[in-house]
């Protein structure tokens, strides 16, 4: 059975290559910072399960210190100039989109065809991780297609990948760091404390108030925790189950579903949802790291109010 | 109550635009120590969860392929495409993408598009090209506006499409959580009740894209 370990080994080798190429890049005045940073990420992927909890903690501390003390620079691998790219675009035309389209096609193939496959009664892919494994497989195949179809140098996936990785920089590791912070929050009972505060201080005698507290609470709490999954159990146990469903007889399916989507409105508004909001800002080289969030708030706020209205109208019938 | 100090540290740190990786580590220590853990225990808990969350960073495996097609000119090709499709302006372009992203996510195909594989190499350059082909070169602010709007469109499409799919993580979480509270729900009901919000998200964000389109038309030519 192919599972996550294979994917992690691949990721480890790719980040290891980024580290080595960074060390060799004399155009980057902080090349050793980049080399150690991506090297630590490679070590995490290749040997994370053998480092022990404390070992992993020290590794994360190293990542944070390099990033926090300004140890990361930006490598400048040799690449094509804008003029060359325009000329190449004219030459290749629509063929340029084929590698990018190969990616979704292989992902779909993996999920629909490879996932159900069984060899001697055992599944070919770990069923829980089929999408991630398919994505990794698709990345490898699409890179190969790009190399052959567009006649690019063999080293280019690693050098160009490093160029993009340096563009994202420390933001690349933030989503994983925040997931770890979420675990510490859970350990310390932060969620319960906040849920307790909400239910203790806000009277919820009227149905509309209770609906508003649940929806706005899901959004606000998601903004603090960085994802709606962490907010859902706390807010639902604190407000939805006893009051909306227990006291006012709301339909649990409507309450839960719209409650979760209210949380997603919060996701659009918080820097703690880094993989959706901060990583794209880095990837698109935006000067303002909060530009994506600012573009989302005017959609998220009205939608949150719509959710309050929808739950109020639809949940009690 | 003391454990909320960590939350405060995150809010202050992010607002002051300190390096987020450091802010997160410091917040973890404050939270853990306030809750009575030793610094070593916090570090171990943090490391353990970091290691278990490695799947999040696997998505960067797509970057080498994106880099290769960028080297061969995909951004220039996407931009040039809009020079030829002068009739398509930025608003309708992003609305079509929003519909595509919501629709495919609703079918569970959340990883066939995204910020790395669609927005950076294709959609953002197309959106920039759509504006440039009408009213000339963009300044830095205009470019940032267009790129951020394209990125926002991907997120809105993903978030308010994926919950219509029955087997997505958030639906499974809701079913599991409600079951522990003694409420048994068929997942299909949760996904059906996600549809009204999905429609509202499309209408609100779509309307904003039309307003954005008008603003881009009205901008002074640089």
């Amino acid at each position: 059975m192919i599972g996550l370990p294979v994917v992690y080994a691949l990721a480890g080798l790719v980040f290891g290559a980024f580290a080595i190429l960074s060390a060799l890049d004399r155009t980057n005045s902080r090349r050793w910072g980049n080399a150690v940073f991506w090297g630590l990420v490679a070590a995490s992927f290749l040997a994370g399960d053998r480092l022990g909890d404390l070992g992993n903690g020290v590794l994360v501390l190293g990542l944070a210190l390099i990033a926090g003390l300004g140890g990361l620079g930006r490598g400048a691998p040799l690449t094509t100039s804008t003029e060359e790219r325009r000329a190449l675009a004219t030459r290749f035309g629509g063929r340029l989109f084929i590698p990018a389209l190969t990616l979704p096609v292989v992902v779909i193939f993996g999920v629909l065809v490879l996932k159900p496959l069984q060899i001697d009664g055992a599944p070919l892919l770990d069923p829980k991780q089929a999408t991630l494994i398919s994505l990794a497989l698709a990345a490898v195949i699409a890179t190969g297609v790009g190399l052959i179809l567009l006649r690019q140098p063999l080293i280019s996936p690693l050098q160009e990948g490093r160029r993009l990785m340096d563009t994202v920089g420390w933001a690349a590791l933030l989503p994983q760091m925040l997931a770890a912070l979420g675990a510490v929050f859970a350990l310390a009972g932060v969620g319960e404390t906040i849920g307790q505060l909400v239910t203790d201080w806000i009277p919820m005698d009227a149905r509309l108030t209770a609906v508003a507290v649940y929806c706005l609470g899901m959004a606000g709490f998601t903004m603090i925790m960085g994802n709606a999954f962490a907010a859902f159990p706390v807010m639902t146990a604190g407000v939805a189950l006893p009051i909306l469903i227990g006291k006012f007889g709301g339909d649990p399916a409507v309450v839960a579903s719209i409650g979760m989507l209210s949380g997603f409105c919060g996701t659009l508004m918080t820097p703690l949802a880094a993989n959706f909001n901060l990583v794209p800002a880095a990837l698109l080289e935006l000067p303002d790291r909060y530009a994506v969030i600012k573009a989302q708030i005017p959609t998220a706020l009205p939608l949150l109010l719509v959710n309050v209205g929808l739950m109020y109208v639809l949940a009690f019938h | 109550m003391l454990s909320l100090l960590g939350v405060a540290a995150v809010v202050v740190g992010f607002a002051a635009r300190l390096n987020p990786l450091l802010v997160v580590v410091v917040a973890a220590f404050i939270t853990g120590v306030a809750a009575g853990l030793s610094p070593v225990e916090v570090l171990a808990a943090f490391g353990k969860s970091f290691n278990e969350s490695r799947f999040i960073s696997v998505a960067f495996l797509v970057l080498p392929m994106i880099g290769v097609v960028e080297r061969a000119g995909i951004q220039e090709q996407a931009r040039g495409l809009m020079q030829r499709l002068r009739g398509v302006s930025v608003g309708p372009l992003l609305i079509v993408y929003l519909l595509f992203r919501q629709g495919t996510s609703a079918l569970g195909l959340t990883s066939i598009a995204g910020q790395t594989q669609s927005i950076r190499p294709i959609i953002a350059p197309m959106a920039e090209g759509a504006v440039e082909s009408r009213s000339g070169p963009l300044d830095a602010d205009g470019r940032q506006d267009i790129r951020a709007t394209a990125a926002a469109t991907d997120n809105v499409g993903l978030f308010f499409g994926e919950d219509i799919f029955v087997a997505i993580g958030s639906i499974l979480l809701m079913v599991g959580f409600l079951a522990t509270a003694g409420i048994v729900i068929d997942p299909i009901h949760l996904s059906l009740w996600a549809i009204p919000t999905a429609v509202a998200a499309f209408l609100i964000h779509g309307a904003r894209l039309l307003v954005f389109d008008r603003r881009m038309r009205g901008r002074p030519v640089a």
Side-chain angles (χ1 to χ4, degrees):
Chain A
M1 189 174 75
I2 301 172
L4 272 187
V6 180
V7 178
Y8 286 171
L10 176 68
L13 293 176
V14 171
F15 276 103
F18 291 165
I20 294 169
L21 294 173
S22 294
L24 298 174
D25 184 352
R26 290 178 189 279
T27 61
N28 179 4
S29 60
R30 304 202 180 118
R31 60 186 168 129
W32 295 112
N34 290 50
V36 176
F37 192 83
W38 301 128
L40 285 174
V41 178
S44 162
F45 273 115
L46 289 173
D49 291 331
R50 273 163 280 157
L51 291 176
D53 295 344
L54 198 58
N56 277 302
V58 173
L59 186 150
V60 180
L61 206 54
L63 289 172
L65 285 175
I66 294 173
L69 302 178
L72 276 180
R74 238 170 108 165
L78 275 183
T79 186
T80 44
S81 68
T82 312
E83 288 70 36
E84 286 171 307
R85 288 182 182 193
R86 284 209 189 101
L88 286 168
T90 317
R91 188 172 129 209
F92 292 127
R95 265 188 286 169
L96 278 163
F97 295 111
I98 293 177
L101 292 175
T102 304
L103 194 80
V105 170
V106 178
V107 172
I108 295 173
F109 177 80
V111 174
L112 295 184
V113 179
L114 297 182
K115 189 181 172 189
L117 269 190
Q118 305 241 336
I119 292 174
D120 294 333
L124 174 66
L125 306 181
D126 181 348
K128 281 188 188 147
Q129 307 295 348
T131 309
L132 214 53
I133 300 163
S134 305
L135 187 67
L137 178 70
V140 173
I141 292 177
T143 306
V145 169
L147 278 181
I148 296 167
L149 195 69
L150 308 172
R151 295 186 203 96
Q152 294 297 308
L154 258 184
I155 190 75
S156 64
L158 294 174
Q159 286 289 25
E160 296 291 321
R162 172 169 75 94
R163 179 172 58 80
L164 293 178
M165 209 62 240
D166 279 356
T167 305
V168 180
W170 51 259
L173 270 296
L174 187 55
Q176 211 183 319
M177 289 268 203
L178 285 163
L181 178 63
V184 176
F185 276 179
L187 208 61
V190 170
E192 287 75 8
T193 311
I194 296 182
Q196 195 70 46
L197 280 179
V198 171
T199 40
D200 281 359
W201 289 92
I202 305 175
M204 281 177 280
D205 305 322
R207 191 194 281 174
L208 183 60
T209 323
V211 168
V213 167
Y214 181 52
C215 291
L216 303 184
M218 272 299 298
F221 200 26
T222 299
M223 291 178 70
I224 293 172
M225 303 296 276
N227 78 73
F229 289 17
F232 183 81
V234 178
M235 287 304 298
T236 305
V239 179
L241 289 178
I243 299 169
L244 291 175
I245 296 168
K247 187 171 156 197
F248 293 118
D251 177 342
V254 183
V255 169
S257 187
I258 298 180
M260 183 65 92
L261 291 164
S262 301
F264 287 6
C265 292
T267 314
L268 291 175
M269 300 190 283
T270 177
L272 272 68
N275 44 347
F276 300 110
N277 298 336
L278 298 194
V279 172
L283 199 59
L284 294 169
E285 299 168 68
L286 306 182
D288 178 1
R289 77 164 73 134
Y290 297 149
V292 176
I293 296 176
K294 288 175 186 165
Q296 288 171 166
I297 290 175
T299 296
L301 283 180
L303 191 57
L304 185 55
L305 291 181
V306 168
N307 277 334
V308 173
L310 283 174
M311 190 184 293
Y312 186 69
V313 174
L314 298 175
F316 309 94
H317 43 79
Chain B
M1 283 302 286
L2 272 179
S3 59
L4 295 186
L5 282 175
V7 176
V10 172
V11 174
V12 171
F14 274 70
R17 303 199 180 210
L18 303 175
N19 183 280
L21 295 194
L22 267 189
V23 171
V24 167
V25 171
V26 170
F29 276 108
I30 294 178
T31 307
V33 171
L37 299 172
S38 76
V40 174
E41 284 172 322
V42 179
L43 196 60
F46 197 79
K48 179 172 191 279
S49 177
F50 181 83
N51 190 51
E52 285 166 357
S53 310
R54 284 177 295 175
F55 63 91
I56 295 173
S57 303
V58 165
F60 292 113
L61 276 179
V62 180
L63 287 183
M65 183 275 283
I66 301 297
V68 169
V69 290
E70 284 192 7
R71 189 180 192 283
I74 195 173
Q75 290 198 359
E76 286 67 20
Q77 174 67 17
R79 216 176 289 262
L81 199 64
M82 300 314 289
Q83 300 278 350
R84 292 200 289 280
L85 298 174
R86 270 171 191 268
V88 182
S89 72
V90 64
L93 171 77
L94 290 177
I95 289 177
V96 170
Y97 181 74
L98 177 64
L99 197 61
F100 162 80
R101 189 74 164 120
Q102 265 196 305
T104 50
S105 301
L107 297 174
L109 303 171
T110 49
S111 35
I112 68 165
Q115 303 284 356
T116 316
Q117 65 264 49
S118 325
I119 300 299
R120 172 167 166 129
I122 302 173
I123 303 300
M126 280 175 86
E128 287 177 23
V131 175
E132 283 174 331
S133 71
R134 283 177 178 239
S135 51
L138 286 161
D139 58 8
D141 280 351
R143 201 169 291 281
Q144 169 160 284
D145 263 7
I146 295 172
R147 290 181 181 181
T149 304
T153 303
D154 186 78
N155 283 338
V156 172
L158 170 66
F159 291 3
F160 301 101
E162 64 171 3
D163 251 28
I164 299 174
F165 184 62
V166 204
I168 208 80
S170 53
I171 299 262
L172 302 178
L173 172 80
M174 287 189 267
V175 171
F177 180 79
L178 292 173
T180 60
I183 300 174
V184 179
I185 283 194
D186 186 339
I188 193 78
H189 289 132
L190 290 168
S191 49
L192 287 177
W193 287 113
I195 293 176
T197 304
V199 173
F202 180 78
L203 293 177
I204 292 172
H205 198 69
R208 283 192 59 222
L209 290 174
L210 291 179
V211 172
F212 181 72
D213 191 86
R214 183 163 297 185
R215 208 176 86 217
M216 282 293 133
R217 272 173 212 233
R219 86 196 165 88
V221 176

